């Protein structure tokens, strides 16, 4: 790819209906934009798509994806283990090359305005694109999920969207649009079926006392096993090996241990620690398919628009 390259990683609140996700991904096909990865998770009932390319095209692709998701996903009938506020739940823009984070903030704002203008879906801006300090953290924006937010947005001015509203879209909810650095989405499966153990470890991981900068954690049940769902937003400050070490130590206190891991979406080559235990535990990790730089050099084919 030549010229500025921006990555976008939309998360959609559908993880079981392949046809719906294929239709959403196909709708995102825009000249100058490449499909790098897409994956469905039935337990989370969520799909993560990664695209990259020239900035204007990536914005257009993300907006089209949000519109198609609103057409196909009804949150009043959707349930899953992962928190969500919208059919197109989050849309982050990430600088790759020839572009700065501050420019991605402008792209996020542009995308948010278009999502509201075209589809009537209100938007919250988060991370570096946040217009208010209390919306920098995505978990604060998503507090209460779709079910609570649709009531709170109408009654509480502090919970109203940044664009559109005050009420949410009746079936598509709201969309959180942001700008951030690379984030590694990393799940750890424990040798346990007790979700309480995973939640306890997640609470301890989130405490400032551990010094794990830029690490967010949820405890869930996935595929019948206790899982830690981790977002590592600054792998340079906190290498994934440090996160794995902390999880292993906490798990031992609960008489369990990490047994398998998975990376959701793509991971930058700089975040890989090839001789580490966490990488040895990864399930079906193919460097050609999962490392960002490799996939940029060899993108996927777009699904048929049908």
């Amino acid at each position: 790819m030549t010229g500025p390259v921006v990555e976008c990683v939309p998360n959609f609140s559908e993880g079981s209906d392949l046809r719906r996700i294929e239709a959403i991904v196909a709708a995102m096909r825009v000249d100058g934009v490449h499909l790098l990865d897409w994956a469905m998770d039935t337990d989370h009932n969520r799909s993560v798509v990664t695209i990259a390319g020239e900035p204007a095209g990536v914005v257009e692709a993300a907006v089209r994806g949000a519109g198609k998701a609103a057409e196909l996903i009804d949150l009043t009938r959707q349930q899953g283990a992962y928190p969500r506020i919208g059919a197109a739940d989050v849309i982050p823009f990430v600088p790759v090359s020839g572009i700065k984070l501050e420019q991605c903030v402008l792209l996020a704002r542009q995308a948010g305005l278009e999502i509201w203008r075209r589809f009537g879906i209100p938007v919250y801006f988060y991370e570096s694109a946040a217009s208010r300090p209390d919306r920098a953290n995505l978990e604060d924006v998503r507090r209460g999920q779709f079910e609570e937010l649709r009531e709170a947005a109408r009654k509480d001015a502090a919970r109203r969207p940044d664009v559109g509203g005050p009420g949410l879209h009746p079936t598509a909810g709201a969309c959180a649009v942001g700008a951030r650095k690379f984030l590694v989405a990393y799940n750890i499966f424990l040798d346990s079926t007790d979700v309480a153990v995973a939640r306890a470890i997640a609470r301890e991981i989130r405490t400032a006392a551990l010094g794990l900068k830029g690490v967010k954690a949820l405890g869930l049940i996935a595929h019948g096993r206790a899982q830690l769902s981790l977002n590592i937003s600054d792998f340079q400050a906190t290498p994934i090996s440090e996160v794995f070490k902390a999880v292993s130590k906490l798990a031992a206190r609960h008489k369990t241990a990490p047994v398998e891991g998975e990376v959701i979406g793509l991971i930058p080559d700089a975040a890989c620690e090839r001789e580490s235990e966490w990488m040895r535990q990864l399930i079906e990790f193919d460097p050609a398919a999962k490392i960002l730089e490799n996939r940029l050099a060899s993108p996927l084919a777009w699904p048929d628009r049908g």
Side-chain angles (χ1 to χ4, degrees):
M1 298 181 192
T2 59
V5 176
V6 62
E7 179 190 62
C8 186
V9 193
N11 287 215
F12 300 103
S13 298
E14 171 60 66
S16 59
D17 191 323
L18 177 60
R19 290 186 178 181
R20 287 183 184 178
I21 294 303
E22 283 185 333
I24 292 169
V25 174
M28 298 171 69
R29 184 173 184 172
V30 172
D31 289 345
V33 178
H34 300 276
L35 177 62
L36 304 186
D37 185 72
W38 58 292
M40 300 171 60
D41 188 307
T42 54
D43 287 291
H44 290 182
N45 202 8
R46 192 174 185 84
S47 293
V48 179
V49 180
T50 305
I51 59 174
E54 60 91 12
V58 169
V59 168
E60 178 62 22
V63 172
R64 291 184 187 184
K68 181 58 75 170
E71 178 185 324
L72 298 178
I73 299 171
D74 182 349
L75 286 190
T76 65
R77 301 179 179 182
Q78 189 267 4
Q79 291 184 330
Y82 208 89
R84 81 284 184 266
I85 59 169
D89 188 50
V90 295
I91 300 180
F93 292 86
V94 183
V96 175
S97 61
I99 190 168
K100 296 181 178 179
L101 183 61
E102 292 79 8
Q103 292 168 286
C104 286
V105 169
L106 298 179
L107 298 178
R109 299 284 176 83
Q110 180 184 347
L113 289 170
E114 283 297 303
I115 289 169
W116 167 250
R117 185 181 69 83
R118 294 191 206 177
F119 309 113
I121 303 167
V123 170
Y124 294 84
F125 294 118
Y126 77 102
E127 286 280 354
S128 295
S131 57
R132 294 166 28 179
D134 61 333
R135 292 188 175 170
N137 291 324
L138 182 58
E139 57 265 36
D140 292 332
V141 174
R142 279 202 302 227
R143 177 165 43 89
Q145 298 198 57
F146 167 70
E147 287 77 11
E148 290 187 22
L149 185 60
R150 63 181 170 180
E151 301 299 324
R154 290 189 176 277
K155 297 177 181 178
D156 183 356
R159 301 296 308 278
R160 288 178 182 170
D162 292 302
V163 177
L168 305 190
H169 188 286
T171 57
C175 185
V177 182
R180 58 165 172 76
K181 297 178 182 179
F182 287 115
L183 178 149
V184 178
Y186 170 46
N187 295 336
I188 297 176
F189 291 95
L190 301 173
D191 185 22
S192 172
T193 58
D194 188 351
V195 69
V197 169
R199 288 173 178 166
I201 295 172
R203 282 195 299 271
E204 293 171 283
I205 286 290
R206 292 194 297 264
T207 62
L210 286 175
L212 296 176
K213 179 183 177 182
V215 179
K216 300 174 183 178
L218 289 173
L220 308 167
I221 284 290
H223 309 298
R225 294 186 289 174
Q227 181 196 79
L228 281 171
S229 179
L230 302 157
N231 282 345
I232 302 163
S233 61
D234 192 343
F235 64 83
Q236 293 174 321
T238 307
I240 301 172
S241 56
E242 289 188 17
V243 179
F244 181 83
K245 181 179 179 181
V247 169
S248 298
K249 185 175 181 179
L250 293 170
R253 295 179 186 173
H254 293 273
K255 295 181 172 50
T256 187
V259 289
E260 287 184 338
E262 61 182 358
V263 170
I264 305 301
L266 302 181
I267 181 171
D269 187 67
C272 294
E273 301 164 280
R274 287 172 172 77
E275 301 305 316
S276 63
E277 180 63 20
W278 76 266
M279 286 205 76
R280 283 193 286 269
Q281 285 195 0
L282 290 179
I283 306 166
E284 298 178 355
F285 184 81
D286 178 3
K290 299 298 288 183
I291 293 179
L292 173 67
E293 290 82 356
N294 296 339
R295 188 50 88 192
L296 282 168
S298 182
L300 298 172
W302 289 93
D304 185 6
R305 293 180 189 271

